[in-house]
Amino acid sequence: MSYSVGEELPPLSVRVTRDRLIRYAGASLDFNPIHWNERFAKQVGLPDVIAHGMLTMALAGRLVTGWLGDPGRLVSYGVRFTRPVVVPDDEKGALVEFTGKVIEVRDDGTARIDITAKFDGKTVLGKASAVVR
């Protein structure tokens, strides 16, 4: 696979619902009540239940690995968590939209991908980037 600076990855949109949060909590063993208990989330100053940051990060990573076709070609990946994804208690959940672009192609055959993750029109991950081979 060859890369071109400016090449855009196919966008990915994911609906994060409360049942997805429960399944993720079971898989990750992260049962923090801010991810499932509306009353608790509001008591600590959140607007409602929020998605696990690592779930949002994993979904953004899926944008890249889906494009690569082989997750083994992902060399490194990192993000900063900048804003929570608030998940309403309904069947629609929260729509999170991911886009990515090749920013740099290196002499060693790797490329840097910058990723944007948005919820409700606002960026939820900062400095999200991956290096791929």
Side-chain angles (χ1 to χ4, degrees), residues 30-76:
D30 181 352
F31 295 102
N32 187 322
I34 63 173
H35 302 305
W36 58 270
N37 185 316
E38 184 176 329
R39 181 176 36 85
F40 183 86
K42 289 181 177 182
Q43 282 177 347
V44 298
L46 295 167
D48 205 334
V49 166
I50 63 169
H52 302 75
M54 295 300 289
L55 171 60
T56 306
M57 182 181 181
L59 294 171
R62 195 172 94 192
L63 170 80
V64 177
T65 59
W67 174 69
L68 289 170
D70 176 3
R73 294 179 48 213
L74 179 64
V75 175
S76 67

Side-chain angles (χ1 to χ4, degrees), residues 45-108:
L46 295 167
D48 205 334
V49 166
I50 63 169
H52 302 75
M54 295 300 289
L55 171 60
T56 306
M57 182 181 181
L59 294 171
R62 195 172 94 192
L63 170 80
V64 177
T65 59
W67 174 69
L68 289 170
D70 176 3
R73 294 179 48 213
L74 179 64
V75 175
S76 67
Y77 173 49
V79 307
R80 288 193 180 167
F81 303 107
T82 58
R83 186 173 284 114
V85 173
V86 179
V87 181
D89 188 13
D90 62 21
E91 66 281 346
K92 289 182 182 178
L95 181 64
V96 187
E97 299 173 295
F98 302 95
T99 56
K101 184 186 283 191
V102 178
I103 299 302
E104 176 186 15
V105 177
R106 300 172 178 167
D107 292 337
D108 66 359

